[in-house]
Amino acid sequence: MTKLFVVGTGPGHADLVAPAALKAIKASTDLVAYGLYLDILGEVCDGKKHHDLPLGEEIGRARLALDLAAAGKATALISSGDIGIYAMATLVFELLDRQIQGEERHPEWLDVEIEVVPGVSAMQAGASRVGALLGHDFCTVSLSDLLTPWETIEKRVHAAGSGDFVISFYNPVSKKRDWQLNAARDVLLQYRPASTPVLIGRQLSRPDETITITTLAELDAKDVDMFTMVSVGNSESRHIINGTEQWLYTPRGYKKKL
Amino acid sequence: MTKLFVVGTGPGHADLVAPAALKAIKASTDLVAYGLYLDILGEVCDGKKHHDLPLGEEIGRARLALDLAAAGKATALISSGDIGIYAMATLVFELLDRQIQGEERHPEWLDVEIEVVPGVSAMQAGASRVGALLGHDFCTVSLSDLLTPWETIEKRVHAAGSGDFVISFYNPVSKKRDWQLNAARDVLLQYRPASTPVLIGRQLSRPDETITITTLAELDAKDVDMFTMVSVGNSESRHIINGTEQWLYTPRGYKKKL
């Protein structure tokens, strides 16, 4: 039995890498990952064969990881955040699914034992840095329309608005996608106040982290790049200021009981 | 400056406790936590003063943690999972908010420095155990109507249905609440197929973990208790079987590009 670990290493800081992730990497001889993801891991990666592929080569990376594991090399496929959330894990299972359906010619993939290690996702790091923005029902929406039609994304933003979910936008902008975030903001403004608090978190938990608190009305794609995660509060989320500190939180409804 | 750490310790297994959580506990003299949460942490809790309060005493626990920190004791308020998701963190900020609004008489709370440490939440542990069920847009809905009116919850389940989000139900049932999960299921059946895959994860990542894969039509509250998390796939989520292994994943839409 050959083994493939599918590992999320958290938002960036080494203190948020779970011991399970380090164990999986230690047990592997081959690491498939975008180079920057390994920098935070340090010594545990020493002596491992590192297979790097450019960003954007996600499918190639998933195929390579399955091929290596099937060839008998204990392999870790690694991404930052939670590898199960908008990341590589789902591609691995989609490839296995294709093989089961007879759409691939890699029966050896089906002999690979797979273990997925979850991690802290960017929305959680962001919420923790400003308080408790995810304190009640929330959703995530990827604004990338490379793989999902914009009509589907827009429908989801409407649903999130009508359900009054706290929303975290993943992939809010890229070099080629600059209008989706503002379009999503305009949809949400139909459902919740212009003053709704918004967190813009860039390079969360990394040395060059920046945290910006703004409002839904002021949210603008020009202040956001591809290293950024955006979370929009629900209609009850609160922005509180205590001297030089400020916090965002979403109440669970305890107020009447306090 | 006195310090309050607000710490999530992950779903249960020690290998999913982040180093940041252990550091926060090491730096504390006083721990405020439901006793069971500390069992997995082991030696790091030795010599700390443990303040236990019964489950249900959430507000008392948040007040106690603020009081201890304000009295100069480095304190860690601890819960399992991600303490920012349906957990204690939001109560701390709600109490601070009340103080700022003049609704409490604890100005000393405002001198406490607060650091929130996120953790892996149950839905992430569950998704990782069965593959990649959270691979595309998802939401969370708490089915507890103790603090949120059922009308609001039902509206959110409708929104999640119309947006075709993967849904994780937190607090699906309790001793006093037995009908909400089936009502939520019936709402979702208006939007997605009866065959939609469902994960029932009990005591995730703990020694007595059980994982059940079923369908939306077969989901029944009688199979669920308060130690259980339920995640329902979206209309495209897949259940694949490879010999004795089975997996659930939600595609990101790459299929056309594979």
Side-chain angles (χ1 to χ4, degrees):
Chain A
M1 182 66 91
T2 58
K3 184 117 186 192
L4 173 59
F5 298 96
V6 179
V7 181
T9 56
H13 196 289
D15 278 352
L16 291 174
V17 181
L22 296 179
K23 282 187 183 176
I25 293 165
K26 273 183 198 152
S28 302
T29 59
D30 288 64
L31 310 180
V32 179
Y34 181 57
L36 285 178
Y37 297 159
L38 300 188
D39 293 352
I40 61 162
L41 297 172
E43 290 178 3
V44 71
C45 300
D46 290 354
K48 313 287 183 187
K49 187 157 171 56
H50 179 202
H51 305 265
D52 201 351
L53 285 167
L55 265 184
E57 298 277 340
E58 279 81 13
I59 297 160
R61 222 176 288 150
R63 287 182 179 277
L64 177 60
L66 281 166
D67 285 343
L68 288 165
K73 295 179 190 298
T75 301
L77 173 64
I78 301 170
S79 78
S80 64
D82 185 329
I83 198 160
I85 296 179
Y86 300 122
M88 300 295 301
T90 194
L91 283 181
V92 170
F93 294 102
E94 197 160 346
L95 287 169
L96 293 177
D97 194 0
R98 285 175 54 86
Q99 174 58 37
I100 291 168
Q101 305 299 320
E103 295 165 13
E104 296 280 339
R105 293 186 184 180
H106 294 283
E108 70 277 11
W109 287 350
L110 301 183
D111 294 328
V112 174
E113 183 187 353
I114 298 177
E115 180 177 335
V116 182
V117 178
V120 170
S121 187
M123 65 176 168
Q124 296 167 287
S128 73
R129 289 286 288 109
V130 296
L133 190 55
L134 301 178
H136 204 3
D137 303 334
F138 63 89
C139 69
T140 65
V141 176
S142 169
L143 292 181
S144 172
D145 57 359
L146 298 177
L147 300 161
T148 301
W150 175 251
E151 294 66 34
T152 303
I153 298 170
E154 192 175 33
K155 187 178 164 189
R156 285 197 173 135
V157 179
H158 274 286
S162 74
D164 200 26
F165 288 96
V166 179
I167 307 175
S168 297
F169 290 121
Y170 281 70
N171 310 310
V173 303
S174 74
K175 282 181 187 170
K176 292 178 184 170
R177 292 184 301 100
D178 60 359
W179 57 266
Q180 287 85 351
L181 180 61
N182 289 357
R185 172 201 64 202
D186 293 342
V187 169
L188 289 181
L189 281 168
Q190 300 173 32
Y191 297 94
R192 57 191 76 170
S195 61
T196 302
V198 171
L199 161 66
I200 301 176
R202 187 173 188 280
Q203 295 282 35
L204 285 158
S205 89
R206 295 176 195 254
D208 52 345
E209 173 185 272
T210 58
I211 298 280
T212 305
I213 293 175
T214 185
T215 63
L216 187 56
E218 298 289 327
L219 175 61
D220 195 306
K222 73 171 167 38
D223 302 320
V224 174
D225 68 13
M226 60 186 291
F227 303 104
T228 305
M229 200 270 322
V230 175
S231 290
V232 180
N234 73 11
S235 65
E236 295 188 356
S237 297
R238 297 268 302 160
H239 179 195
I240 57 175
I241 295 170
N242 174 28
T244 59
E245 295 267 29
Q246 49 183 335
W247 301 103
L248 303 181
Y249 77 97
T250 302
R252 285 178 65 190
Y254 281 82
K255 208 153 192 175
K256 50 190 171 241
K257 290 179 67 177
L258 292 177
Chain B
M1 182 68 90
T2 57
K3 185 117 186 191
L4 173 59
F5 298 96
V6 179
V7 181
T9 56
H13 196 289
D15 278 351
L16 291 175
V17 181
L22 295 179
K23 282 187 183 178
I25 292 165
K26 274 183 197 151
S28 302
T29 59
D30 289 65
L31 311 180
V32 180
Y34 180 57
L36 285 178
Y37 296 160
L38 300 188
D39 292 351
I40 61 160
L41 297 172
E43 290 180 2
V44 70
C45 300
D46 289 354
K48 314 287 183 187
K49 186 155 170 60
H50 179 202
H51 305 265
D52 202 351
L53 285 167
L55 264 184
E57 297 277 341
E58 279 81 12
I59 296 159
R61 223 177 286 148
R63 287 182 179 278
L64 177 60
L66 281 166
D67 286 342
L68 288 165
K73 295 178 192 298
T75 302
L77 174 64
I78 301 170
S79 78
S80 64
D82 185 330
I83 197 160
I85 296 179
Y86 300 120
M88 299 294 300
T90 195
L91 283 182
V92 170
F93 295 101
E94 198 160 344
L95 287 169
L96 293 176
D97 194 1
R98 284 176 54 85
Q99 175 58 38
I100 291 168
Q101 306 299 320
E103 296 165 11
E104 296 280 340
R105 292 185 185 182
H106 295 283
E108 70 277 12
W109 286 350
L110 300 183
D111 294 327
V112 174
E113 183 187 356
I114 298 177
E115 181 177 334
V116 182
V117 178
V120 170
S121 187
M123 66 176 166
Q124 296 168 286
S128 73
R129 289 287 287 110
V130 296
L133 190 54
L134 301 178
H136 204 3
D137 303 333
F138 63 89
C139 69
T140 65
V141 176
S142 169
L143 291 181
S144 171
D145 57 0
L146 299 177
L147 301 161
T148 301
W150 176 251
E151 294 68 32
T152 303
I153 298 170
E154 191 176 34
K155 188 179 163 190
R156 285 198 173 134
V157 179
H158 274 286
S162 74
D164 200 26
F165 288 95
V166 178
I167 306 175
S168 295
F169 290 120
Y170 281 70
N171 309 309
V173 304
S174 74
K175 282 181 185 169
K176 293 178 184 169
R177 292 183 301 100
D178 60 359
W179 56 267
Q180 287 86 351
L181 180 62
N182 289 358
R185 171 202 65 203
D186 293 342
V187 170
L188 288 181
L189 282 168
Q190 300 172 33
Y191 297 94
R192 56 191 74 173
S195 61
T196 301
V198 171
L199 161 66
I200 301 176
R202 186 172 188 282
Q203 296 281 35
L204 284 159
S205 87
R206 295 176 195 255
D208 52 345
E209 173 186 273
T210 58
I211 298 280
T212 306
I213 293 175
T214 184
T215 63
L216 187 55
E218 299 289 328
L219 175 61
D220 195 306
K222 73 173 166 36
D223 302 320
V224 173
D225 67 13
M226 60 186 292
F227 303 105
T228 305
M229 201 272 322
V230 175
S231 291
V232 180
N234 73 11
S235 65
E236 296 189 355
S237 297
R238 297 267 302 159
H239 178 195
I240 57 176
I241 295 169
N242 174 29
T244 59
E245 295 267 28
Q246 50 182 336
W247 302 103
L248 302 181
Y249 77 96
T250 302
R252 287 177 64 190
Y254 280 81
K255 208 155 192 174
K256 48 188 170 245
K257 291 182 67 179
L258 292 176

